[in-house]
Amino acid sequence: MAQVDTAATGQGGAGRQDTGSGTWRADIRRTILIGFRPGPWKRGLVLAALALLLGLLMLLHAKIPNRTGNLGSLVETFLPWFGLFIPVLLAGALWRRSACAVAALLLPVTVWLILFGGLLGDKSHPGSDLTVASHNVGADNPDPVGTARDLAASGADVLALEELAQQARGTYEKELAKAYPYHTVQGTVGLWSKLPLSDTRPVDIKMDYGPLADTKPVDVKMAYNRALRTTVATDRGPLAVYVAHLGSARVTPGAGFWTDSRDRGAQALGKAIAAERNERVVLLGDLNGTLDDRAFADLTSQLRSAQDAAGDGFGFSWPARFPVVRIDQILVRGVKPDSSWSLPATGSDHLPVAAGISW
């Protein structure tokens, strides 16, 4: 009887082994079949590819060539806005229930945060030794009187103006005289100061370029000069201040992103600042470009942005009604930015920008 029981037990064990082996093989078959079904890791492959391309575009923006229509500079000008594609792709990934697309979005999110995450918080510090401001007042400004009064009320110690039209120059001089006893105007740019100025001179940023440039009289060139350098006498020592309005940048069907005069000016300005002997330097002006643009490498390698170091957010300044880029800059060397902000709109198409600096 015991032998029968043993045999029966042995047969039962063999039966269970056969059943387990069959279950194991069935599980493998089911797994293979599931792998070939359009599950969450197989849906949304196009969205995943677009997410990866977006991340690579932002990561490798410096590698985009400028040979055709200055495409690289154009991408860099609007680089922060590429982040808007991230929520669009995320919405598509969630709608498609695509795990691979969501995972792929980690690349552009990480790259964008590395590039611009530091600008999202308020990095300003209370107190400063000097407040500087800059404003492209606009040649077609319909209210120069109101603009001048608003700027005077800002409390800036040093105020740079760009795009000063000849017919409006007297208005600005009159309206700013009470708040700023010292000023200089060189062509279409000027500097108003509560502190004495000295060693003032125009800076050639190559606006007049070509074989006939050297044949023009000095007074003719000065009429449209767009950069100056002066020394502000502060109680902490001399401060070299540059004011510049670089050439325009335009997007045209034939030339693409046209920046020739701006780029020449940026290089010339970079050389002038490299030759500056004063260790404390402030550059104020409308550079007609964002500092992500490689065209400003000669400047950003020597100067730091007050907005990047001590601002709150991106500090977009143009166009005034709905700012999308920061092309009005305050750059410094040898001094510490404590704060940076945009002032309320005036009659210009640019917002004024200001910064507090200390020694």
Side-chain angles (χ1 to χ4, degrees):
M1 189 66 178
Q3 291 177 351
V4 172
D5 290 340
T6 302
T9 302
Q11 291 173 357
R16 283 194 297 273
Q17 289 176 359
D18 290 343
T19 302
S21 177
T23 302
W24 179 73
R25 286 194 294 268
D27 288 343
I28 292 178
R29 285 196 297 270
R30 280 197 298 270
T31 301
I32 293 173
L33 290 173
I34 290 172
F36 283 98
R37 292 175 184 172
W41 288 99
K42 296 183 70 64
R43 289 195 295 262
L45 294 180
V46 172
L47 289 170
L50 290 174
L52 293 175
L53 287 174
L54 177 61
L56 291 173
L57 178 68
M58 292 189 293
L59 179 65
L60 303 175
H61 65 88
K63 303 296 184 182
I64 301 174
N66 257 350
R67 291 188 297 272
T68 304
N70 276 346
L71 181 60
S73 287
L74 181 60
V75 168
E76 289 164 343
T77 297
F78 297 99
L79 195 58
W81 292 97
F82 280 79
L84 290 180
F85 290 109
I86 293 174
V88 174
L89 290 173
L90 177 60
L94 295 176
W95 179 67
R96 291 280 290 140
R97 297 181 182 180
S98 171
C100 65
V102 172
L105 278 168
L106 290 175
L107 177 62
V109 168
T110 301
V111 174
W112 194 92
L113 288 175
I114 290 173
L115 291 175
F116 305 111
L119 299 177
L120 299 180
D122 186 356
K123 301 175 291 301
S124 62
H125 311 287
S128 60
D129 295 326
L130 196 73
T131 300
V132 298
S134 176
H135 189 27
N136 180 327
V137 294
D140 299 323
N141 190 325
D143 185 20
V145 172
T147 297
R149 291 176 179 175
D150 289 344
L151 293 173
S154 71
D157 301 296
V158 175
L159 172 65
L161 301 186
E162 303 89 45
E163 206 169 295
L164 279 167
Q166 183 63 36
Q167 65 271 20
R169 173 176 169 174
T171 300
Y172 287 106
E173 290 177 327
K174 177 183 177 181
E175 296 298 330
L176 295 173
K178 184 176 180 180
Y180 300 98
Y182 308 96
H183 87 280
T184 179
V185 175
Q186 304 285 319
T188 63
V189 295
L191 189 75
W192 277 256
S193 175
K194 296 179 180 180
L195 302 169
L197 304 177
S198 63
D199 194 19
T200 301
R201 60 180 182 271
V203 176
D204 183 8
I205 56 171
K206 309 298 181 184
M207 292 300 299
D208 199 356
Y209 182 78
L212 299 178
D214 293 335
T215 66
K216 295 183 179 180
V218 174
D219 58 338
V220 173
K221 289 184 178 183
M222 275 302 299
Y224 51 85
N225 174 72
R226 292 171 65 155
L228 66 83
R229 183 261 183 223
T230 191
T231 300
V232 177
T234 78
D235 58 1
R236 304 296 295 273
L239 175 70
V241 177
Y242 287 77
V243 181
H245 181 196
L246 298 185
S248 298
R250 299 184 180 91
V251 179
T252 62
F257 191 43
W258 184 85
T259 61
D260 291 358
S261 63
R262 185 203 68 179
D263 295 352
R264 283 198 310 270
Q267 293 172 5
L269 193 56
K271 290 179 181 178
I273 291 175
E276 174 61 53
R277 295 184 178 182
N278 195 325
E279 64 178 15
R280 299 187 181 100
V281 178
V282 173
L283 168 61
L284 306 165
D286 173 8
L287 303 189
N288 269 312
T290 70
L291 298 183
D292 295 309
D293 192 328
R294 68 196 68 178
F296 299 103
D298 290 342
L299 294 173
T300 55
S301 63
Q302 304 179 70
L303 307 167
R304 63 191 302 209
S305 164
Q307 181 67 26
D308 288 355
D312 182 6
F314 290 93
F316 295 145
S317 64
W318 182 89
R321 291 187 177 182
F322 186 77
V324 297
V325 291
R326 183 180 179 88
I327 62 177
D328 301 276
Q329 309 291 351
I330 298 177
L331 307 180
V332 302
R333 181 183 80 190
V335 294
K336 184 182 74 171
D338 293 310
S339 54
S340 180
W341 64 97
S342 297
L343 295 168
T346 68
S348 171
D349 60 339
H350 292 245
L351 292 179
V353 295
I357 61 174
S358 62
W359 273 247

